């Protein structure tokens, strides 16, 4: 049986067992089952920094010259930004149609959210440059780690010749080792997924979710529209994949994203799927995907569109055009700054709400179901990276043929 089927079965099993076990079983599950899920997540996290660092260097040095690197880089970031802005608009459209939160009043026991002050754009830019790259890696701060890897990659390309080749071979071998370790970890994923999902289902149960079901429905619909409308179109036009082949090829990574809620954690599997199932070159995946796992968050963008309208509805606020435009702008920036880890989007939502003066108390509402929303958004986040990888792969091939 292939791995994605096994993961899918354990997902279904977790839902069934979680519903049957119910909230009474939460202490038992928290004590005995959840830690196994945490171990699985830790195994994946263990590989994030080594994979990002080595694969970005390998990706850049295999692209070879800085001019080509610049071309691919600009193209990648531009497509990432455009798809992210479209994602927010889709979020608006879906929430505008379903009107989640209309007529709902604030529950008094809404979960508490500690709102971090949203960083300014300049603060985000400054934080991207690591004063101490080892410290950034130790803290698994991915954006500074990426910036460091980019500089090292360019440095290696500029050194060139035999000496550069020695270090390229070294990183190439390191990346290979990382992929092997990841394959070993993935063999445990069906168990990991079961242990991660069971506590969520047992604690939330179907009835608790009822009032917020509309938000979850919006999220699911928005993600499907974006995936089918935007990604399968990109993969079709540039990758030559039918939508079925594209989503089938991505299924393993999508399921892992769905259950781990971490783009960064899904990166290794995404790289494997995109290369093996979608036929994207290693050169492209090792540059486009680590970058995408950190800066391209279309699912998070859909979520920001939906949640801001939802919160506006709950508080009886009418958003005007200017406010909506502001949400698209800050939402796009916020999704770049969102780390590919569980729950990061909720914090960035604070920044978006603040930018248009929506009440931050609204976050408390979303927080209760955030884990579920996170599953959908992370799933979309990583699928978007793969679709863009198809585009870059194809356009680069054509560019090379024409040159
Ligand atoms: N969990 C998401 C991810 O890893 C980020 C988010 O919270 O929106 O892609």
């Amino acid at each position: 049986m292939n791995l994605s089927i096994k993961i899918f079965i354990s997902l279904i099993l977790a839902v069934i067992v979680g519903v049957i076990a119910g909230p009474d079983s939460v202490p038992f599950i928290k004590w005995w089952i959840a830690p196994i899920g945490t171990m699985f997540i830790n195994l994946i996290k263990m590989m994030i920094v080594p994979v990002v660092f080595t694969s970005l260097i390998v990706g850049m040095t295999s692209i070879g010259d800085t001019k080509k690197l610049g071309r691919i880089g600009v193209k990648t970031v531009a497509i990432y930004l455009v798809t992210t802005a479209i994602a927010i608009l889709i979020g608006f459209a879906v929430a505008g149609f379903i009107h989640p939160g209309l007529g709902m009043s604030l529950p008094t026991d809404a979960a508490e959210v500690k709102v971090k002050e949203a960083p300014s754009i300049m603060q985000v830019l400054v934080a991207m440059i690591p004063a101490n790259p080892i410290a950034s890696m130790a803290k698994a701060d991915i954006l500074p780690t990426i910036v460091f890897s980019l500089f090292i990659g360019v440095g290696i390309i500029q050194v060139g010749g035999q000496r550069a080749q020695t270090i390229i071979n070294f990183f190439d071998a390191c990346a290979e080792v990382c992929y092997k370790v990841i394959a070993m970890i993935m063999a445990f994923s069906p168990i990991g997924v079961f242990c991660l999902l069971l506590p969520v289902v047992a604690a939330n149960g179907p009835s608790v979710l009822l009032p917020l079901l509309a938000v979850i429905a919006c999220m699911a619909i928005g993600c499907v529209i974006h995936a089918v409308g935007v990604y399968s179109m990109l993969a079709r036009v540039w990758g030559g994949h039918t939508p079925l082949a594209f989503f089938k090829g991505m299924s393993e990574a999508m399921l892992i994203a769905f259950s781990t809620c971490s783009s960064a954690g899904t990166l290794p599997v995404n790289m494997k799927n995109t290369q093996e199932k979608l036929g994207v070159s290693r050169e492209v995946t090792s540059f486009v995907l680590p970058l995408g796992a950190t800066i391209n968050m279309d699912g998070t963008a859909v979520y920001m569109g939906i949640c801001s309208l939802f919160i506006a509805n709950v508080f009886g606020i009418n958003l005007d055009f200017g406010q909506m435009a502001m949400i698209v702008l800050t939402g796009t920036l916020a999704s770049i700054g969102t780390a590919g880890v569980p729950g990061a989007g909720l914090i960035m939502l604070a920044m978006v709400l603040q930018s248009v003066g929506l009440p931050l108390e609204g976050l408390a509402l979303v927080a209760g179901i955030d884990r579920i929303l996170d599953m959908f958004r992370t799933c979309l986040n990583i699928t978007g990276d793969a679709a863009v990888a198809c585009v870059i792969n194809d356009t680069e091939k054509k560019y090379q043929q024409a040159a």
Side-chain angles (χ1 to χ4, degrees):
M1 209 192 310
N2 88 12
L3 194 58
S4 28
I5 298 180
K6 282 190 200 158
I7 300 173
F8 189 71
I9 292 176
S10 64
L11 209 136
I12 303 285
L13 267 181
V15 172
I16 297 172
V17 176
V19 169
I20 295 173
D24 290 344
S25 65
V26 168
F28 175 85
I29 290 174
K30 272 210 172 126
W31 188 255
W32 294 106
I33 311 277
I36 302 175
T38 311
M39 282 186 227
F40 175 64
I41 289 267
N42 284 355
L43 280 175
I44 290 181
K45 278 193 190 159
M46 171 177 97
M47 296 311 292
I48 295 175
V49 169
V51 165
V52 168
F53 186 56
T54 56
S55 62
L56 265 182
I57 290 181
V58 170
M60 291 175 72
T61 49
S62 58
I63 289 172
D65 69 286
T66 35
K67 225 167 95 193
K68 185 172 170 193
L69 195 60
R71 189 179 65 237
I72 295 185
V74 168
K75 209 160 51 177
T76 306
V77 173
I79 305 175
Y80 279 162
L81 290 181
V82 172
T83 53
T84 303
I86 294 174
I88 301 185
L89 294 176
I90 290 178
F92 277 155
V94 175
F97 192 72
I98 297 186
H99 299 302
L102 265 194
M104 176 178 177
S105 56
L106 263 179
T108 44
D109 60 346
E112 291 245 329
V113 176
K114 281 200 199 90
V115 179
K116 264 203 224 159
E117 176 116 26
S120 72
I121 293 177
M122 286 320 278
Q123 277 170 326
V124 171
L125 289 178
V126 169
M128 276 171 57
I129 315 285
N132 179 348
I134 306 294
S136 302
M137 289 189 191
K139 285 187 286 177
D141 272 346
I142 301 299
L143 221 44
T145 303
I146 286 188
V147 171
F148 179 62
S149 320
L150 294 180
F151 272 100
I152 296 292
V154 172
I156 295 174
I157 293 172
Q158 292 195 335
V159 167
Q162 194 45 47
R163 285 201 299 172
Q165 199 51 51
T166 312
I167 197 160
I168 291 173
N169 291 344
F170 170 76
F171 279 117
D172 198 35
C174 289
E176 256 341 293
V177 171
C178 289
Y179 301 144
K180 280 279 175 288
V181 174
I182 284 148
M184 278 153 42
I185 296 170
M186 287 327 291
F188 294 105
S189 57
I191 299 171
V193 164
F194 178 83
C195 298
L196 282 172
L197 281 191
L198 189 62
V200 180
V201 180
N204 292 306
S207 62
V208 190
L209 303 179
L210 228 53
L212 293 160
L213 219 54
V215 182
I216 298 175
C218 284
M219 196 59 204
I221 294 169
C223 288
V224 169
I225 293 178
H226 195 68
V228 173
V230 180
Y231 298 156
S232 50
M233 191 268 290
L234 293 181
R236 172 94 226 192
V237 175
W238 281 280
H241 304 291
T242 61
L244 194 69
F246 175 71
F247 291 115
K248 197 161 163 237
M250 285 299 295
S251 57
E252 198 178 293
M254 287 170 84
L255 286 168
I256 293 288
F258 195 79
S259 38
T260 60
C261 289
S262 168
S263 293
T266 312
L267 175 62
V269 191
N270 200 5
M271 293 187 58
K272 186 168 146 275
N273 280 181
T274 312
Q275 279 171 31
E276 290 172 7
K277 309 268 171 61
L278 304 179
V280 176
S281 71
R282 189 163 167 230
E283 170 188 295
V284 170
T285 50
S286 42
F287 178 71
V288 174
L289 296 183
L291 197 65
T294 314
I295 68 165
N296 186 42
M297 304 268 177
D298 291 356
T300 307
V302 171
Y303 159 86
M304 287 176 181
I306 292 172
C307 290
S308 42
L309 269 196
F310 165 67
I311 290 167
N313 282 342
V314 170
F315 288 89
I317 299 166
N318 259 333
L319 291 177
D320 60 27
F321 181 77
Q323 283 172 309
M324 288 201 179
M326 190 66 185
I327 291 174
V328 174
L329 185 71
T330 50
T332 305
L333 288 175
S335 79
I336 293 175
T338 308
V341 296
L346 183 70
I347 310 290
M348 296 319 265
L349 180 62
M351 168 169 155
V352 174
L353 296 180
Q354 215 167 31
S355 71
V356 288
L358 280 172
L360 290 180
E361 290 75 27
L363 283 179
L365 286 175
V366 180
I369 50 162
D370 194 64
R371 176 74 191 196
I372 294 160
L373 303 178
D374 205 354
M375 293 173 173
F376 289 104
R377 59 182 195 249
T378 310
C379 192
L380 194 70
N381 286 348
I382 61 105
T383 313
D385 303 338
V388 174
C390 289
V391 177
I392 304 293
N393 194 53
D394 189 64
T395 50
E396 276 307 303
K397 238 195 268 166
K398 288 187 179 132
Y399 184 88
Q400 245 124 47
Q401 279 159 5

